[in-house]
Amino acid sequence: MSDTLKESLFEKLCQLQCHFTWVPQKDNIDFSDLKLRLQDSIQLGVKYQATSYNHLAFVNCQQGDYEEAIQNLKEAEKIWRENHKDEFERRSIITYGNFAWVHYHMGHLTEVQSYLDKLEMICKPLSDGPRYTAMIPEVYGEKGWSLMSSGAEYYEEAKECFAKALEQDSDNVEWNMGYATALYRLETISGVSENQEQSQPVKYLRRVLELDPDDMVAMVMLALKLQEFNEAEKANKLVEEALRKSPDLPYVLRYAAKFYRIARAFNFAVDLLMRALEFTPSSAFVHHQVGLCYRGKLLTLKRTAGSNYPDSAPLQLKAELISKCKYHFEKAFELRPSFIIAKLDFAGICLINSETDRAEEIYNSLLSLEDLAPDNKQALALQVGLFELHHKRSESNAIINLLKGLKIHHGSKQWKLCDSNLRKILTKQIERNPRNSKAFGVLGMVHQLAGEKDEAVECFEKALEYDPNNEEYLNALSELRPST
């Protein structure tokens, strides 16, 4: 076939709504990691398996495994036919779009045109807009799930996709669950502690349970939110009911384990996670969660008097817990090499075990990596900053790293910790030397990044008192002061 035809088909393919045209999915994505997580979700038998197969087809195609991608799409098509007979065509828009793109990559241009023809026939009665797609809830919804699988930096966009789906179909359980999940994850990152009445995740998780009282995943997620608001009795009842009704559903086990870990019932949490590992023995996420449980036990033990005495039972237990923490954190990043948080948690255990050099080696290797996701960059900056402060006794290096963290993801839990630690360090420096212009200047930056304009101006003015010609402070003041 001619190059002209190929170019014409490519232009049409670019009009589709599918994984191949959702540009963010191609940027900064670890496809090997994503593939493992999608395979996990399929193996766990989640409700929305077809969407996982669609996404997996995209990943396999990006990795050059075209035949496997075609098989993935056939599985998705089969699920749509079996489970969504009345809306099969609407559900197939993204699947057919992916089929067209995979065949294009394989050089099967006749098949590409065949799928474009199918899409045109399906979409024509559904939309007055693009010829080969239709912006209907099924498209917005699947895009939302896909973005959620791709990383934390896409949660906000995923939320917007589910919101658009709900505008057209407000009683759909799947879109409500997607919207609730996006809100839940965004709030987990930001650490926003609203009251229960104002909490959007609580509102939409309750809406899911109104529409489908048997959605046990929504039930344990709601329990975790209620736990945050100290509604212990209500939360406990929800978790118990979810475990009674779905004792072998891996996602219920995962969320329930997190609930009990937060409640400091570490042994029970480990038991649930070990059951989850029976279903997914290669789950980096579950191994990491087990490690967090053992770390919780370790930190509790550290606060117990006598744990540092030689030959004591607590000392032996401490060594055992350190070993278990290390095993599960290391297993997590062996299974998923891009699991930066697991590596940071492993380094943290090394510090507890006085293995400072090993921890520093891990930090240096992570600092040398390029294209880290913003949330991972921020977590690394925070932990390295605290390491420099408490173990290397270098306030200047601590400030450098904590400032890096402060410039990422405003309002997240890590951001708040960077902010609070910087203020403590700089306040102490100013107390030691009230003429410390540099400390005033950096504190001005901290206030500026926090949106505290008046405080920032005051600090920069103080800095200029002791360093009158500093261009950095002068420029900062000119930005902050209204023009006169």
Side-chain angles (χ1 to χ4, degrees):
M1 292 200 179
S2 69
D3 289 342
T4 305
L5 175 59
K6 192 171 183 180
E7 288 174 14
S8 172
L9 288 174
F10 181 77
E11 287 177 10
K12 292 173 183 176
L13 288 171
C14 289
Q15 298 173 37
L16 303 182
Q17 280 289 327
C18 65
H19 293 81
F20 291 83
T21 58
W22 296 334
V23 176
Q25 306 247 44
K26 300 177 185 177
D27 300 333
N28 302 322
I29 297 293
D30 182 333
F31 285 118
S32 297
D33 172 38
L34 179 55
K35 185 172 183 174
L36 285 172
R37 289 188 285 113
L38 290 169
Q39 288 171 333
D40 256 8
S41 70
I42 290 166
Q43 187 181 345
L44 293 174
V46 294
K47 281 185 178 181
Y48 315 121
Q49 271 191 332
T51 64
S52 295
Y53 273 118
N54 267 337
H55 202 168
L56 186 57
F58 167 75
V59 173
N60 278 320
C61 186
Q62 294 298 306
Q63 295 181 325
D65 197 346
Y66 304 127
E67 293 297 339
E68 188 63 28
I70 292 293
Q71 288 305 312
N72 297 150
L73 294 171
K74 286 180 178 178
E75 287 293 335
E77 188 177 21
K78 179 184 173 185
I79 292 168
W80 294 141
R81 284 190 188 279
E82 291 175 354
N83 300 339
H84 298 274
K85 293 177 184 176
D86 295 339
E87 51 187 34
F88 170 72
E89 289 189 339
R90 296 168 66 92
R91 290 280 184 170
S92 297
I93 290 173
I94 291 166
T95 307
Y96 287 165
N98 284 347
F99 261 125
W101 269 102
V102 175
H103 281 300
Y104 179 82
H105 284 287
M106 296 173 78
H108 300 164
L109 303 188
T110 302
E111 284 84 351
V112 174
Q113 186 60 60
S114 173
Y115 278 104
L116 288 171
D117 291 342
K118 287 182 182 182
L119 284 166
E120 187 173 17
M121 183 181 68
I122 292 169
C123 297
K124 192 172 182 179
L126 297 175
S127 173
D128 295 328
R131 186 175 170 186
Y132 298 105
T133 193
M135 298 313 297
I136 57 176
E138 288 80 2
V139 170
Y140 281 123
E142 184 158 354
K143 184 175 183 181
W145 287 121
S146 207
L147 288 165
M148 288 247 280
S149 298
S150 297
E153 58 266 48
Y154 304 119
Y155 291 166
E156 187 66 41
E157 189 179 350
K159 183 190 79 171
E160 295 305 317
C161 286
F162 289 120
K164 287 175 181 175
L166 287 171
E167 284 175 11
Q168 300 179 49
D169 188 2
S170 61
D171 292 334
N172 183 285
V173 178
E174 185 176 344
W175 318 144
N176 275 284
M177 184 58 178
Y179 192 61
T181 305
L183 290 167
Y184 177 95
R185 292 186 184 181
L186 284 166
E187 198 167 279
T188 299
I189 291 170
S190 68
V192 174
S193 185
E194 301 170 335
N195 63 55
Q196 185 182 330
E197 289 70 28
Q198 292 177 324
S199 174
Q200 289 297 299
V202 168
K203 175 183 174 181
Y204 279 92
L205 287 166
R206 283 185 168 145
R207 177 64 177 145
V208 171
L209 290 170
E210 283 175 12
L211 295 166
D212 180 8
D214 293 323
D215 193 319
M216 296 301 107
V217 174
M219 191 172 285
V220 284
M221 287 173 69
L222 177 59
L224 280 163
K225 292 308 297 182
L226 293 179
Q227 185 181 46
E228 287 182 22
F229 301 122
N230 299 314
E231 295 277 358
E233 188 176 347
K234 290 179 183 177
N236 268 303
K237 284 180 180 178
L238 288 172
V239 174
E240 288 168 5
E241 183 180 351
L243 287 171
R244 180 172 56 80
K245 289 185 175 180
S246 301
D248 296 321
L249 192 63
Y251 278 103
V252 169
L253 292 171
R254 290 180 181 194
Y255 281 115
K258 182 179 179 181
F259 176 88
Y260 287 115
R261 172 171 61 81
I262 292 169
R264 309 186 71 74
F266 299 119
N267 290 336
F268 193 25
V270 169
D271 288 344
L272 293 174
L273 290 167
M274 289 304 182
R275 275 166 58 190
L277 277 176
E278 291 174 14
F279 297 99
T280 53
S282 299
S283 172
F285 174 86
V286 177
H287 276 290
H288 181 245
Q289 290 293 310
V290 176
L292 292 177
C293 290
Y294 285 125
R295 186 178 70 181
K297 293 184 74 171
L298 176 62
L299 295 175
T300 300
L301 181 67
K302 277 193 72 185
R303 290 190 288 268
T304 304
S307 62
N308 290 316
Y309 289 108
D311 301 321
S312 67
L315 185 63
Q316 294 171 26
L317 179 57
K318 177 184 175 183
E320 182 184 330
L321 290 171
I322 285 172
S323 177
K324 287 180 176 179
C325 285
K326 280 184 165 184
Y327 171 80
H328 287 285
F329 288 145
E330 189 168 28
K331 191 74 174 174
F333 62 76
E334 278 178 3
L335 289 164
R336 193 197 301 173
S338 62
F339 202 162
I340 303 301
I341 300 302
K343 290 185 181 181
L344 289 174
D345 287 335
F346 184 90
I349 297 301
C350 289
L351 291 176
I352 290 173
N353 201 37
S354 301
E355 298 174 77
T356 308
D357 290 345
R358 191 171 184 189
E360 188 170 15
E361 184 182 324
I362 293 168
Y363 295 141
N364 288 334
S365 70
L366 292 175
L367 287 168
S368 69
L369 295 177
E370 296 179 3
D371 299 325
L372 282 181
D375 53 333
N376 287 331
K377 273 186 186 177
Q378 191 171 53
L380 175 60
L382 170 63
Q383 196 156 322
V384 171
L386 294 177
F387 171 74
E388 291 287 349
L389 179 65
H390 298 300
H391 295 271
K392 305 291 282 186
R393 306 297 178 188
S394 172
E395 287 186 351
S396 59
N397 285 341
I399 289 169
I400 289 168
N401 284 284
L402 292 171
L403 267 178
K404 286 180 184 176
L406 203 66
K407 293 173 182 177
I408 307 168
H409 272 333
H410 186 281
S412 70
K413 289 179 181 178
Q414 284 82 8
W415 184 92
K416 290 172 185 174
L417 287 168
C418 288
D419 179 83
S420 61
N421 279 284
L422 276 167
R423 290 177 194 241
K424 286 177 188 175
I425 296 168
L426 296 165
T427 300
K428 286 180 180 177
Q429 288 187 345
I430 291 167
E431 286 173 355
R432 291 198 299 265
N433 176 14
R435 298 176 63 84
N436 189 333
S437 62
K438 190 170 182 181
F440 275 115
V442 177
L443 188 56
M445 289 174 62
V446 172
H447 285 301
Q448 189 174 10
L449 289 166
E452 299 164 355
K453 181 179 173 181
D454 292 343
E455 292 86 346
V457 167
E458 186 179 338
C459 284
F460 285 124
E461 286 177 342
K462 276 281 187 185
L464 284 166
E465 276 185 38
Y466 309 118
D467 188 1
N469 299 314
N470 188 298
E471 286 189 16
E472 184 181 356
Y473 307 152
L474 288 166
N475 289 336
L477 271 179
S478 68
E479 286 179 22
L480 288 163
R481 282 173 172 159
S483 57
T484 54

